[in-house]
Amino acid sequence: MARRDDIESILIIGSGPIVIGQAAEFDYSGTQACRALRDEGYRIILVNSNPATIMTDPELADATYVEPLTAETVAEIIRRERPDALLPTLGGQTALNLAIELHERGTLDEYGVELLGASVSSIRKAEDRQLFREAMERIGLKVPESRVVNRVEEALELARYIGFPLIIRPSFTLGGKGGATAHDPEELRRAVTDGLDASPVRSVLVERSVIGWKEFELEVMRDLADNVVIICSIENLDPMGVHTGDSITVAPAQTLSDKQYQTLRNASIRIIREIGVQTGGSNIQFAVDPEGDDFYVIEMNPRVSRSSALASKATGFPIAKIAAKLAVGVLA
Amino acid sequence: MVLEDGASFTGWTFAGGEAGEVSGEVVFTTSMVGYQETLTDPSYRGQILLFTYPLIGNYGIIPGDEESPKVQAAAVLVREYTPHYSNWASELSLAALLEENGVLGVEGIDTRALTRHLRDKGAMRGVISTVERDVNVLREKANAHPKMVGLDLASSITELSEPVLLPAFGEERGRVIALDYGVKGSIYKELRSRGASVLAMPGSTPASEVLAQEPDGVFLSNGPGDPAALNEAVTNLRGVLGERPVFGICLGHQILGLALGCETYKMPFGHHGANHPVRNFSTGRIEITSQNHGFAVREESLPAGVEMTHRNLYDGTVEGLASPSLHAWSVQYHPESSPGPRDSGYLFDEFVEEISEKKARA
């Protein structure tokens, strides 16, 4: 695979404000991407609402917009700059959500902007819990029993089948925002109400809790020739139920035997292929039964994630830089 | 511990302290998991095994994960041993396993410095002693240990006194004779789970006895030592080539190479780990492979009619060979993984496919 010479300019969307509980991981990845793609000779157009990021330093992009990260603003930038491509996988969830919105508004088609790294369908498959569940079932993997609900009453009915405790996860939110655990109907009622408010599409996932299970992550990369490598495994010392962002994590995994680890590795490879992330890094999370070999796939981020920064530092492998280069066919 | 060049390293024993003094070639492996499989791999027979991964013992010892019934390495060097293991399936600690096998385990070694030393200067013989403190004495002992080059460790390693039939799991698709030069147990599991019955025979079995069994194919196992010392095995194999499909792994790959007219050589520090990228020329794809070898087939020595099928992307060395006209092929790496990635299981698929076709024709 050779460098993509049919594209000249690339729009990179940053992640916007750094909020409490998040570090600067997306500035780290976005900065690497700007540098890597400029080194390859592409014209880089950058939009990020946060002027306190390294990536918005003038020398990192050819055109830098410190503007609100809304579909309207980014559409205006596309109208003005006419980029050939948009790389949405390095600016966290904000950038992915914006890319989907720009696709749905028809902006990307109207101006002939190609999505690099991940397609709309693969982003949807990874982000939409129902599509993700179906995708995992197709490749013989399990996700915790669950259903997407739009009303509190639906959640209460579901609880009668699955039982407590349950986890409530709002769709399309940042850093697990609005997520909660419910141990009884009253907690469930409250959690679903809050979750619906937090979700931009007013839906939440109610799912069987695997609280207390062992939590592992694998950082996976794929190139355009369909080679897949695992950059590293990560074990959360705090079990399922403590968000990764609050958890002490260690790379590589510490308490898996080779056979147990290879099972997760094989699953990760099948997942990145099934979801269809064409190039770049993805983060896949697993819950593993502490008393047996049973495991569930928890989620997949079809983009560089907060764990990627940790994985990069732990291994010395610059995930975001390589992801950016793979997206334009270099190195493949 | 003292190496043959006089470099010395100190640590303390965490298991097998009674062993007193052990000598052997010191090799390092970069695998981050799989210490149980590695220690019980007969290809490490008699070697002092150094783990670059700094914490060893974390998940204990899991019954069924061993590659042979005993610890094969002569001694184990680690940075830090973890006595408090954590895994639901484990039943004893690594220290307990080493104690049972009377194998010396040493921790507190500066494994990074030792690995760099071996990487710069090449694999070396070494002596570990819990009694002798004089570096010069130990250095002499290290130099008195037999050199790996020219050493036949494979011919007599087999535990088989007579052939053993291991039936296929499920319906039999073909019957393979496996020549055992120090086989890893998981190789047989891979073959059997694909429908091959395995008749395991000692590596020194003559060609006439192999062919008298009328197998559908012949498998050449992994094993320790210098392949160039295995004249008998090479001669035996020449009698089989062309008569039956042949597939070899690791030492089996080197023996096939020698039988086809290639040369082998000792590598500076070999390949020992579970993350080596290998290019498969027939697909163009990269496989992440499990590796354990100190010798290799020399690329320049490949005669006409012998193809290089796989190449190591770290150092460009030969990772796979094929002689299409003789229906013989082999890989230097370990498609059975254990430990390591399972990217290359297709090699077993292809072999069992070939022998089941052979069976169908017959």
Side-chain angles (χ1 to χ4, degrees):
Chain A
M1 213 61 73
R3 177 190 183 277
R4 290 279 304 267
D5 292 330
D6 56 327
I7 50 180
E8 286 174 3
S9 55
I10 300 170
L11 174 63
I12 294 178
I13 305 179
S15 67
I18 291 161
V19 300
I20 292 170
Q22 274 183 29
E25 54 266 28
F26 300 117
D27 186 30
Y28 172 71
S29 59
T31 304
Q32 275 189 34
C34 288
R35 284 204 179 111
L37 295 176
R38 269 193 114 191
D39 283 352
E40 294 296 334
Y42 295 102
R43 179 164 192 272
I44 303 302
I45 302 134
L46 170 70
V47 53
N48 192 346
S49 60
N50 185 352
T53 48
I54 307 288
M55 72 190 304
T56 48
D57 277 4
E59 68 272 18
L60 279 161
D62 297 283
T64 303
Y65 290 84
V66 181
E67 295 288 344
L69 292 176
T70 62
E72 290 76 16
T73 314
V74 180
E76 180 56 32
I77 292 167
I78 289 174
R79 260 190 291 280
R80 204 185 281 192
E81 295 283 348
R82 303 297 169 95
D84 298 316
L86 166 61
L87 184 59
T89 53
L90 297 155
Q93 194 62 44
T94 306
L96 272 193
N97 288 353
L98 268 176
I100 292 278
E101 213 178 325
L102 289 165
H103 166 77
E104 283 171 352
R105 293 162 59 110
T107 311
L108 299 183
D109 283 346
E110 189 185 341
Y111 294 97
V113 181
E114 179 185 343
L115 272 188
L116 294 178
S119 64
V120 168
S121 76
S122 61
I123 296 170
R124 285 209 176 115
K125 245 198 264 184
E127 299 285 329
D128 183 302
R129 304 238 156 230
Q130 189 55 32
L131 293 177
F132 186 67
R133 160 182 305 277
E134 287 162 11
M136 292 305 98
E137 281 168 2
R138 273 197 296 280
I139 54 173
L141 296 172
K142 289 192 299 185
V143 296
E145 299 82 356
S146 69
R147 215 165 78 198
V148 176
V149 302
N150 306 100
R151 292 182 302 121
V152 174
E153 292 71 31
E154 283 179 79
L156 290 167
E157 194 185 324
L158 187 65
R160 282 198 284 277
Y161 293 102
I162 303 181
F164 289 97
L166 291 166
I167 292 186
I168 293 84
R169 295 168 185 273
S171 307
F172 292 95
T173 59
L174 306 174
K177 185 172 156 241
T181 310
H183 298 85
D184 57 50
E186 193 41 48
E187 282 184 10
L188 181 63
R189 185 183 292 278
R190 210 164 40 233
V192 172
T193 307
D194 291 351
L196 291 173
D197 288 343
S199 166
V201 291
R202 287 203 66 80
S203 72
V204 300
L205 182 94
V206 178
E207 91 183 356
R208 176 186 135 90
S209 167
V210 282
I211 281 178
W213 285 36
K214 302 207 282 188
E215 185 174 349
F216 296 93
E217 297 172 53
L218 272 73
E219 289 293 319
V220 192
M221 292 201 92
R222 186 184 189 200
D223 68 15
L224 286 171
D226 190 30
N227 294 305
V228 181
V229 293
I230 312 298
I231 303 306
C232 78
S233 59
I234 298 172
E235 180 160 2
N236 286 239
L237 294 195
D238 301 290
M240 292 297 300
V242 179
H243 189 270
T244 304
D246 298 329
S247 184
I248 294 168
T249 61
V250 180
Q254 297 294 314
T255 67
L256 292 176
S257 71
D258 180 64
K259 284 170 183 58
Q260 294 161 349
Y261 168 65
Q262 298 304 335
T263 303
L264 299 187
R265 182 181 183 277
N266 283 2
S268 301
I269 293 171
R270 294 215 299 279
I271 292 167
I272 197 168
R273 287 186 173 143
E274 173 61 29
I275 297 300
V277 174
Q278 292 147 333
T279 63
S282 286
N283 162 266
I284 304 174
Q285 295 170 27
F286 296 97
V288 175
D289 185 353
E291 303 297 332
D293 280 335
D294 209 11
F295 72 94
Y296 287 106
V297 185
I298 300 304
E299 68 172 12
M300 183 226 213
N301 290 308
R303 55 173 169 86
V304 170
S305 69
R306 78 168 65 207
S307 299
S308 312
L310 169 70
S312 292
K313 292 287 159 83
T315 61
F317 186 101
I319 292 176
K321 174 181 170 182
I322 303 296
K325 295 209 174 205
L326 290 175
V328 292
V330 181
L331 297 177
Chain B
M1 192 204 65
V2 179
L3 295 175
E4 62 182 79
D5 69 350
S8 66
F9 298 82
T10 51
W12 50 94
T13 58
F14 67 89
E18 301 303 313
E21 213 160 274
V22 184
S23 58
E25 188 184 54
V26 185
V27 293
F28 62 87
T29 175
T30 55
S31 290
M32 293 191 288
V33 282
Y35 52 79
Q36 182 180 354
E37 291 89 337
T38 302
L39 286 166
T40 54
D41 175 350
S43 293
Y44 282 110
R45 171 73 65 92
Q47 288 178 315
I48 295 174
L49 188 52
L50 161 67
F51 287 95
T52 60
Y53 187 68
L55 279 170
I56 296 292
N58 295 356
Y59 54 83
I61 295 296
I62 297 174
D65 281 4
E66 66 279 356
E67 286 295 319
S68 74
K70 64 178 183 187
V71 174
Q72 302 280 354
V76 187
L77 305 175
V78 303
R79 178 72 189 87
E80 184 178 345
Y81 170 67
T82 312
H84 304 289
Y85 57 89
S86 171
N87 190 295
W88 72 274
S90 62
E91 288 189 358
L92 71 162
S93 67
L94 172 59
L97 179 78
L98 294 177
E99 292 286 352
E100 269 178 25
N101 285 267
V103 172
L104 187 63
V106 180
E107 69 169 326
I109 293 278
D110 186 344
T111 50
R112 187 175 293 192
L114 176 51
T115 301
R116 288 195 166 148
H117 191 77
L118 295 173
R119 199 183 54 187
D120 293 344
K121 307 245 166 96
M124 265 184 245
R125 294 161 293 170
V127 172
I128 305 170
S129 180
T130 57
V131 283
E132 179 60 62
R133 299 275 167 150
D134 187 323
V135 171
N136 290 323
V137 171
L138 289 172
R139 181 180 181 176
E140 274 172 36
K141 286 184 177 176
N143 280 287
H145 189 85
K147 281 188 176 166
M148 191 57 95
V149 171
L151 214 54
D152 172 1
L153 296 174
S155 293
S156 56
I157 195 172
T158 184
E159 310 274 336
L160 301 166
S161 49
E162 55 190 52
V164 173
L165 180 67
L166 305 161
F169 302 142
E171 195 188 338
E172 182 184 281
R173 297 178 63 204
R175 210 160 59 96
V176 174
I177 285 187
L179 293 175
D180 177 8
Y181 305 106
V183 71
K184 288 171 69 183
S186 54
I187 292 177
Y188 289 166
K189 284 182 201 152
E190 295 290 339
L191 290 169
R192 296 168 76 193
S193 67
R194 287 167 173 80
S197 288
V198 176
L199 183 65
M201 300 180 90
S204 56
T205 309
S208 57
E209 284 179 39
V210 170
L211 295 174
Q213 297 286 342
E214 302 196 335
D216 302 310
V218 175
F219 173 77
L220 311 171
S221 88
N222 63 297
D226 184 350
L230 305 177
N231 295 326
E232 197 187 343
V234 171
T235 308
N236 287 339
L237 177 58
R238 287 201 178 116
V240 173
L241 282 175
E243 302 291 327
R244 291 291 186 278
V246 172
F247 174 47
I249 289 176
C250 196
L251 184 71
H253 156 86
Q254 296 159 1
I255 293 171
L256 176 65
L258 290 166
L260 292 170
C262 310
E263 290 168 19
T264 56
Y265 65 100
K266 176 129 173 68
M267 306 167 82
F269 49 88
H271 295 158
H272 310 273
N275 63 344
H276 284 241
V278 164
R279 185 183 293 278
N280 176 339
F281 291 128
S282 66
T283 62
R285 297 276 279 271
I286 313 300
E287 298 160 25
I288 306 299
T289 66
S290 178
Q291 301 259 346
N292 174 22
H293 62 111
F295 293 83
V297 173
R298 196 181 296 284
E299 181 179 356
E300 298 75 31
S301 71
L302 264 60
V306 178
E307 297 167 5
M308 177 164 167
T309 58
H310 299 73
R311 184 193 293 283
N312 189 304
L313 297 181
Y314 279 163
D315 60 7
T317 52
V318 178
E319 289 288 350
L321 287 176
S323 167
S325 61
L326 296 172
H327 293 268
W329 70 100
S330 61
V331 286
Q332 179 63 73
Y333 58 94
H334 289 271
E336 79 283 5
S337 59
S338 303
R342 299 177 193 156
D343 290 0
S344 312
Y346 69 92
L347 288 159
F348 292 109
D349 296 341
E350 287 174 6
F351 182 51
V352 175
E353 191 60 32
E354 174 97 12
I355 61 158
S356 66
E357 280 170 20
K358 159 109 187 110
K359 186 185 168 83
R361 282 197 300 272

